[in-house]
């Protein structure tokens, strides 16, 4: 009939679309997860920006910025004055000169070296070193977070590929069953209703497969965007279902306290707060500057006691400063610095507490998911044997079309549950490695 031919045409079209889409990906190169992480880290804009921030922090970490080196300045002035001068001496003599000119010239080199400022310069130097360490730690934290995101996205595509492959398998089983029903219908051992049910099942699964193929293509494009690659680049993922051994919970906690990027940054924040307190304590102590200069000056007068005057020579001196009263500002600053130091310690304690809770919770999930995965693997073997037996019994005419379709559905669902159990276990594994500050590979 017309409806039957249209239905067959639709099934053929869907199959052609599925085959053409699959062939495009089959020809693409395989991108391993570790290579994807490497590409993402190399091209990520935020990582590049943080690398440049590292260079800035390293450039800022110098003795000069800490105030540990002398400052050398040179100055020079030249002036010429015209004055109407009138002079009267004790002897009664007077002297006047209209428009008398006076020339002054001076040039000098001056050096100022802060010898002591209450050890503040050493606190500033240590703080600059800590800022440099913070900059590197920020880059490491960003790279760790990006590596985690890329790894999770990669294995999400893996589970989508496996799920899609399972759906392709279901379509092949539907097609085989349809062919078997058609053969039975020809010899009169199958009804028209069974034939319609088989065609309907094949069409429904084929439509789902086309939609899933479109979805997975979108995920591939999103993954390329995450790697800062052209979104249309074709590649395949390694669909091997494997997990790696995770350390014990105590080993994870120990590693997290030492290598978790947030913990490292928290420790550096606490160190900066301590150095700020040390610097403010230095303001309660006196300062001592060593000053040295070499000056040359020349003056020529049109009128006066001396026609000209010239000076050349070095100057050496010590300058001491001590603040007696500043309206309690230093005391207030010290109090605030100590409070900030206490807050930094509290934030670190809170972070360690939350981190331990997260690791223990996720590790418990990991143990449960391992058991679930093993159960699903065992259930899949039973479902596979049951489905194979049901198809053979149907071929022999000992069970109905409905029973064989149900056994096939149970097999496909068992495969899906196995894939999902693996993916959930993989997710928790990646999260545990991230919390512990460990490399993914």
């Amino acid at each position: 009939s017309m409806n039957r031919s249209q239905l067959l045409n639709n099934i053929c079209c869907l199959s052609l679309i599925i085959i053409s889409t699959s062939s495009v990906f089959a020809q693409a190169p395989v991108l391993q997860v570790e290579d994807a992480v490497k590409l993402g880290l190399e091209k990520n804009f935020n990582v590049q920006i943080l690398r440049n921030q590292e260079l800035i922090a390293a450039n800022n970490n110098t003795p000069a910025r800490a105030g540990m080196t002398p400052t050398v300045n040179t100055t020079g002035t030249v002036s010429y004055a015209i004055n109407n001068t009138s002079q009267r001496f004790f002897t009664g003599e007077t002297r006047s000169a209209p428009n008398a000119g006076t020339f002054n010239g001076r040039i000098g080199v001056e050096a100022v070296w802060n010898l002591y400022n209450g050890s503040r310069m050493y606190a500033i130097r240590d703080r600059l070193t800590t800022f440099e360490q913070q900059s590197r730690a920020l880059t490491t934290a960003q790279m760790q977070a990006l590596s985690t995101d890329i790894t999770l996205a990669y294995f999400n595509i893996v589970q989508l590929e496996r799920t899609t492959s399972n759906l392709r398998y279901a379509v092949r089983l539907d097609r085989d069953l349809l062919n078997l029903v058609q053969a039975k219908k020809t010899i009169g051992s199958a009804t028209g209703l069974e034939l319609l049910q088989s065609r309907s099942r094949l069409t429904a699964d084929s439509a789902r497969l086309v939609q899933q193929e479109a979805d997975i293509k979108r995920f591939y494009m999103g993954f390329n965007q995450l790697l800062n690659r052209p979104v249309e680049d074709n590649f395949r993922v390694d669909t091997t279902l494997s997990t790696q051994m995770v350390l014990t919970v105590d080993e994870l906690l120990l590693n997290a306290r030492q290598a978790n990027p947030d913990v490292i940054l928290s420790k550096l924040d606490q160190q900066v707060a301590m150095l700020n307190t040390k610097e403010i304590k230095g303001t309660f102590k006196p300062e001592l500057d060593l000053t040295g200069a070499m000056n040359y000056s020349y003056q020529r007068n049109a009128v006066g006691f001396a026609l000209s005057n010239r000076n050349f020579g070095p100057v050496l001196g010590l300058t001491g400063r001590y603040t007696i009263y500043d309206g309690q500002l230093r005391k207030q600053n010290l109090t605030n610095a100590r409070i900030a130091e206490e807050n930094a310690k509290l934030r670190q304690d809170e972070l360690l507490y939350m981190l331990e809770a997260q690791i223990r919770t996720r590790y418990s999930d990991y143990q449960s998911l391992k058991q679930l995965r093993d159960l699903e693997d065992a259930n899949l073997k039973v479902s596979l044997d049951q489905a194979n037996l049901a198809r053979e019994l149907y071929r022999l005419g000992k069970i109905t079309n409905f029973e064989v379709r149900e056994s096939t559905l149970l097999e496909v669902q068992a495969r899906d549950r196995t894939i999902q159990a693996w993916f959930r276990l993989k997710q928790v594994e990646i999260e545990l490695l991230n919390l512990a500050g460990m490399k993914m590979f």
Side-chain angles (χ1 to χ4, degrees):
S1 66
M2 187 66 181
N3 290 336
R4 182 183 301 177
S5 62
Q6 288 178 348
L7 187 60
L8 290 174
N9 287 335
N10 290 337
I11 294 172
C12 291
C13 289
L14 290 171
S15 300
L16 286 174
I17 292 173
I18 293 166
I19 293 171
S20 62
T21 304
S22 301
S23 63
V24 171
F25 283 101
Q27 298 171 359
V30 175
L31 178 65
Q32 298 293 337
V33 60
E34 52 268 29
D35 295 330
V37 170
K38 184 179 179 181
L39 281 173
L41 293 177
E42 288 175 353
K43 295 188 175 183
N44 184 263
F45 294 121
N46 286 334
V47 172
Q48 294 178 38
I49 290 171
L50 288 171
R51 292 286 191 199
N52 289 333
Q53 294 291 347
E54 283 188 54
L55 295 176
I56 293 174
N59 290 336
N60 287 338
N61 188 14
T62 60
R65 286 194 177 272
M68 305 178 76
T69 58
T71 301
V72 181
N73 297 305
T74 180
T75 58
T77 59
V78 175
S79 64
Y80 185 78
I82 300 175
N83 299 295
N84 293 321
T85 304
S86 178
Q87 295 177 334
R88 187 173 182 175
F89 301 97
F90 288 105
T91 60
E93 181 185 355
T94 60
R95 184 184 301 170
S96 61
N99 300 322
T102 301
F103 174 81
N104 282 285
R106 181 184 180 277
I107 186 170
V109 178
E110 183 182 55
V112 179
W113 192 3
N114 186 244
L115 297 178
Y116 180 74
N117 64 351
S119 300
R120 279 183 291 160
M121 64 179 72
Y122 300 104
I124 295 172
R125 179 198 60 187
D126 293 342
R127 191 173 72 234
L128 291 173
T129 301
T130 306
F131 285 161
E132 186 177 355
Q133 294 171 349
Q134 278 184 320
S135 184
R136 288 197 297 268
L138 282 170
T139 304
T140 302
Q142 175 66 26
M143 293 174 67
Q144 178 81 8
L146 182 61
S147 298
T148 302
D149 291 342
I150 292 173
T151 306
L152 285 171
Y154 184 94
F155 286 111
N156 185 42
I157 294 178
V158 172
Q159 69 95 11
L160 286 171
E161 282 282 16
R162 294 300 295 247
T163 303
T164 305
S165 178
N166 187 40
L167 190 51
R168 293 193 194 103
Y169 172 73
V171 170
R172 287 197 302 271
L173 291 180
D174 291 341
R175 190 179 294 113
D176 292 343
L177 182 60
L178 176 60
N179 293 335
L180 182 59
V181 172
Q182 285 176 329
K184 283 179 168 286
K185 179 71 166 55
T186 302
I187 62 175
S189 61
T191 65
L193 177 60
E194 289 177 319
L195 186 60
L196 289 174
Q197 288 173 337
S198 298
R199 285 173 177 162
S200 176
R201 177 67 177 273
L202 175 58
T203 304
D205 284 347
S206 298
R208 284 175 52 213
L209 182 55
V210 169
Q211 181 61 51
Q212 193 148 327
E213 293 279 8
D215 291 341
I216 202 170
K217 185 176 181 181
R218 189 171 64 253
F219 274 94
Y220 271 101
M221 296 175 73
F223 190 76
N224 279 329
Q225 187 176 2
L226 182 61
L227 301 185
N228 280 341
R229 300 200 309 175
V231 294
E232 67 275 7
D233 279 7
N234 286 328
F235 68 94
R236 287 183 295 144
V237 296
D238 183 356
T239 57
T240 304
L241 301 182
S242 62
T243 56
Q244 63 188 81
M245 181 68 67
V246 172
L247 301 175
T248 65
V249 66
D250 291 332
E251 291 171 328
L252 288 169
L253 288 171
L254 178 62
N255 207 83
R257 296 187 190 102
Q258 297 173 349
N260 181 276
D262 291 333
V263 172
I264 293 173
L265 285 169
S266 177
K267 290 178 180 178
L268 291 172
D269 287 340
Q270 189 177 3
Q271 188 172 336
V272 169
M274 293 171 61
L275 290 170
N276 284 337
T277 302
K278 182 178 178 181
E279 183 181 352
I280 292 173
K281 286 180 178 178
T283 62
F284 289 87
K285 298 177 181 179
E287 290 189 52
L288 184 63
D289 291 343
L290 174 64
T291 304
M294 179 66 74
N295 295 320
Y296 172 81
S297 64
Y298 176 77
Q299 182 179 15
R300 184 177 180 84
N301 304 305
V303 64
F305 294 102
L307 177 63
S308 65
N309 184 28
R310 182 176 63 183
N311 294 291
F312 176 72
V315 178
L316 189 64
L318 286 173
T319 303
R321 290 183 300 275
Y322 180 74
T323 303
I324 297 175
Y325 180 73
D326 64 350
Q328 302 295 318
L329 289 178
R330 289 174 298 169
K331 186 176 180 180
Q332 293 169 5
N333 290 338
L334 182 59
T335 301
N336 292 338
R338 285 171 172 164
I339 294 173
E341 191 176 339
E342 177 65 20
N343 283 342
K345 178 65 169 59
L346 290 172
R347 280 191 292 269
Q348 186 183 30
D349 291 343
E350 180 187 25
L351 176 61
L352 290 172
Y353 171 79
M354 295 297 296
L355 187 60
E356 180 175 353
Q358 287 178 316
I359 289 177
R360 290 191 181 279
T361 301
R362 299 310 282 158
Y363 193 81
S364 176
D365 295 340
Y366 178 78
Q367 295 294 97
S368 300
L369 287 171
K370 278 179 63 177
Q371 296 178 0
L372 177 62
R373 181 200 58 184
D374 294 341
L375 289 173
E376 291 295 353
D377 284 341
N379 183 59
L380 175 59
K381 293 177 182 178
V382 174
S383 299
L384 182 60
D385 292 340
Q386 182 180 350
N388 288 333
L389 178 60
R391 283 189 286 271
E392 179 63 22
L393 290 175
Y394 181 72
R395 190 180 64 82
L396 298 175
K398 295 184 179 181
I399 61 174
T400 65
N401 177 273
F402 174 79
E403 290 172 317
V404 73
R405 284 191 294 109
E406 281 298 308
S407 63
T408 301
L409 178 61
L410 290 175
E411 178 193 352
V412 172
Q413 289 176 342
R415 290 179 184 272
D416 271 338
R417 287 197 306 272
T418 301
I419 295 168
Q420 294 303 319
W422 167 85
F423 179 59
R424 289 169 61 192
L425 182 64
K426 194 68 179 178
Q427 279 182 310
V428 176
E429 172 193 300
I430 294 168
E431 290 173 7
L432 282 172
L433 292 174
N434 180 47
L435 290 171
M438 300 172 63
K439 291 185 177 181
M440 300 294 165
F441 313 101

